[in-house]
Structure formats: C-alpha cells, structure tokens
Amino acid sequence: MLKMSTSFQTYSASAAKIWRRIGVLAALIILVIAASFLSDRFLTPANLLNILRQVAIVGILAIGMTFVILTRGIDLSVGSILGLSVVIYAGLLETHSMAIAIPIGLLVAMAAGLLNGLGVASAGIPPFIMTLGMLSFTRGLAFLYTGGTPIPILNEDFYNLGNDYLFGIPIPSLILLAILAVSAVILSLTAFGRSIYAIGSNEEAARLSGVPVRLYQIIVYVIAGGVSGLAGLVYASQLSIGTPIAGQGYELDAIAAVVVGGTSLFGGKGSVAGTFLGTLIIGVLANILNLTGVDPYVQQLFKGALIVVAVYFMSRSGRS
C-alpha cells in the first residue's frame, strides 16, 4: 500500500511538471478542437475576437497576480482595487479629461498595492490577511466615494477605449497583449525577474545572495495594484459606468487563471505566458459552454473542477 501511495505521488509530481511545460498549451489545443466540433460558431472570427475581449480584464489581473504568487504571496484585493479605480475614473470624468482621470485612477490603484506590499514585507502581516483586509477597505472606499450609486460615464473617447478596434483586434485585447509582452520580458530577461523566482524558491537564500527581498516584495504588490487599475480602466470603458461592486469575485478568476496556467502556489515556478494560456483555457471553456446552452450554474461546476485539479497537481509538484 505504501509503495502504491509513493508511486501515485511520484506520478502526480511528474504530471505537474509536464503540465507546466507543455500541458497547458496542449490542453488549450485539445479544448479548441473539441469546441470546434461542439459548435460551428466557435471558430468564426467574430466569436474568437469575442473570447479575446471577454478574457482581457481577468487576463490583465492574472498577470499581476502571477508576480505576487511567484514570490509565494497572494493578493485577494485585486478585484476590489479594480472596483475602486473604476469609480474614480467615472467620478473624475464627470468634470475632468481622460488625461487627468486615468493617471489618478492608476496612482490610487498602485497606492493600494503599495500598502499591501508594506503590510506584507515591512509589517510581516501574512499576505492572505493583509490583502483580505485591503479587499474590504478598498471596496468600502468605493461605496463611500459613490454613495452606493453607480456613476454614468458619458465620455465618448473613453468608451471607445474599451469597445473600439485597432488593426481589427479589440483594444482591450491589445492592452492585455502589451502587458503580457512587457511582463514576460521583465520576468525572463531582467535581474529583477530572476530575483522574483529566487524569492519564491527560497527567500532566505535569496536574501543571503544580496537580493533586496523586502523591496522586491513591495514592488510585486505595487505591480499587482497597477495592473488592477489598468483592468479597471478596461472595465469602466467597456461598460461606461462606475459601480462600486465592479470586480467582485475577479480575484478568484485571476488566481484560477494563474494556477491553471501552471504557476505553483508554492512560489518560484511559472510564467506569465502560462497564465495567458490559463486565461484562454477558462475563457474558451466558458464560451463553448455558453454556445452549447449549458446552464450558468453548471458552468461554475466545470470551472471549480478545473481549478481543483490544477491546484492538486501544482501542490504535488511543490512538495516534490
């Protein structure tokens, strides 16, 4: 019995490693092929562009989440930071131009990320607790700012930012791809990126190697806050309304995309490219379930099962 248990654990760890290397892409390809047979509308250009548009917000959040999780952290506040930035954009656009509203909204989001980073790195508060508190705090600020009443956005240029096309591709999708490219370069080709992996793999060893661990931990939370503000920009421009409930539950979708994309919750392993593929897997799955008329509640079951399986394999890998 012990031998069987050990063999199964070895198999699980090996499966996780294969999943991180080629499994995510293979799973996406298989899912796309299956979807093309299930619905003749799936592979139409309009539907594929619709998928890219729909995954943009969660994809942007997930990239920021990847930086945090690589350091063995977690950020439960990204959805609420998105919501706060949304109402700030809406409120400022009532009397100011985009040139003023957008930078202020982004700065507020980054400030929330900075507070998260200081709490985790300097005060020693566990990431789960610190970001859970920030989730409640920023959501409360959003309600105070609006008085609980949605703020309409009447700026046409701002609306076009979330709904127009450039080179035939939705602008929100281009924003996602730009953030993906910049993040991939940072993590792959810079000393900062290599240090992020080192911190997640062994924080003490990274510190002894001269890595400014606390500073870099703060920076990754600022990055997560900043991209949450960018996701809020896409959200607000797509819907043209600033509502204090914007982004509720998005933090869970972002974590799901990161984990399905092969990034280990134990830190030090993963990539933003994998996160992007994980986002597409969840987006394609949701799209094909919609096209085939599956009940929305049943869709949640599929998503939940996918997350549990991915987390299980990643946890086995992290312990191996």
Side-chain angles (χ1 to χ4, degrees):
M1 182 67 69
L2 179 61
K3 181 181 291 186
M4 290 179 61
S5 176
T6 303
S7 298
F8 181 72
Q9 291 176 2
T10 302
Y11 168 77
S12 299
S14 299
K17 293 175 182 177
I18 294 172
W19 176 261
R20 277 199 305 271
R21 291 173 184 171
I22 62 172
V24 185
L25 179 58
L28 178 60
I29 292 173
I30 293 171
L31 189 58
V32 168
I33 293 173
S36 66
F37 283 104
L38 291 172
S39 174
D40 56 4
R41 291 180 291 167
F42 176 78
L43 287 179
T44 60
N47 186 61
L48 294 178
L49 288 176
N50 183 50
I51 293 174
L52 278 176
R53 182 194 297 276
Q54 289 179 338
V55 303
I57 295 173
V58 170
I60 292 170
L61 288 176
I63 289 173
M65 186 72 73
T66 303
F67 278 84
V68 174
I69 291 180
L70 283 173
T71 63
R72 203 175 288 197
I74 197 75
D75 191 346
L76 301 178
S77 65
V78 294
S80 294
I81 294 175
L82 179 154
L84 178 60
S85 68
V86 164
V87 298
I88 289 175
Y89 295 136
L92 291 175
L93 284 170
E94 287 186 312
T95 55
H96 298 83
S97 67
M98 289 172 54
I100 294 176
I102 292 177
I104 292 177
L106 290 175
L107 285 173
V108 169
M110 292 175 69
L114 176 61
L115 289 176
N116 276 333
L118 290 172
V120 171
S122 298
I125 302 173
F128 183 91
I129 301 300
M130 181 64 213
T131 59
L132 182 62
M134 186 59 67
L135 179 155
S136 180
F137 182 76
T138 50
R139 187 67 68 188
L141 284 179
F143 274 97
L144 283 173
Y145 186 79
T146 63
T149 303
I151 304 172
I153 301 174
L154 305 177
N155 188 305
E156 185 174 346
D157 291 333
F158 190 77
Y159 173 84
N160 291 336
L161 190 62
N163 294 278
D164 213 342
Y165 293 77
L166 187 63
F167 309 118
I169 302 175
I171 291 178
S173 302
L174 292 175
I175 294 174
L176 167 60
L177 293 174
I179 295 172
L180 172 66
V182 172
S183 299
V185 169
I186 290 173
L187 287 175
S188 302
L189 302 177
T190 68
F192 170 74
R194 291 189 291 272
S195 298
I196 294 305
Y197 284 98
I199 293 170
S201 297
N202 190 320
E203 182 178 319
E204 185 59 28
R207 181 178 289 107
L208 293 175
S209 299
V211 175
V213 173
R214 288 187 179 181
L215 175 61
Y216 284 1
Q217 286 176 329
I218 292 171
I219 290 174
V220 295
Y221 283 98
V222 173
I223 291 172
V227 297
S228 297
L230 286 172
L233 175 64
V234 173
Y235 185 105
S237 59
Q238 282 185 334
L239 300 183
S240 286
I241 191 168
T243 170
I245 63 171
Q248 280 189 340
Y250 278 33
E251 59 279 348
L252 301 181
D253 289 336
I255 294 171
V258 174
V259 173
V260 170
T263 294
S264 173
L265 289 173
F266 290 85
K269 301 175 183 177
S271 68
V272 289
T275 293
F276 177 65
L277 293 176
T279 303
L280 289 179
I281 287 175
I282 294 175
V284 169
L285 179 62
N287 181 260
I288 193 58
L289 292 176
N290 283 328
L291 290 177
T292 53
V294 175
D295 188 282
Y297 297 112
V298 178
Q299 293 183 29
Q300 293 298 314
L301 296 178
F302 278 97
K303 182 188 292 186
L306 179 64
I307 295 169
V308 169
V309 171
V311 169
Y312 175 76
F313 281 130
M314 290 305 101
S315 66
R316 302 311 306 178
S317 175
R319 294 170 191 168
S320 61

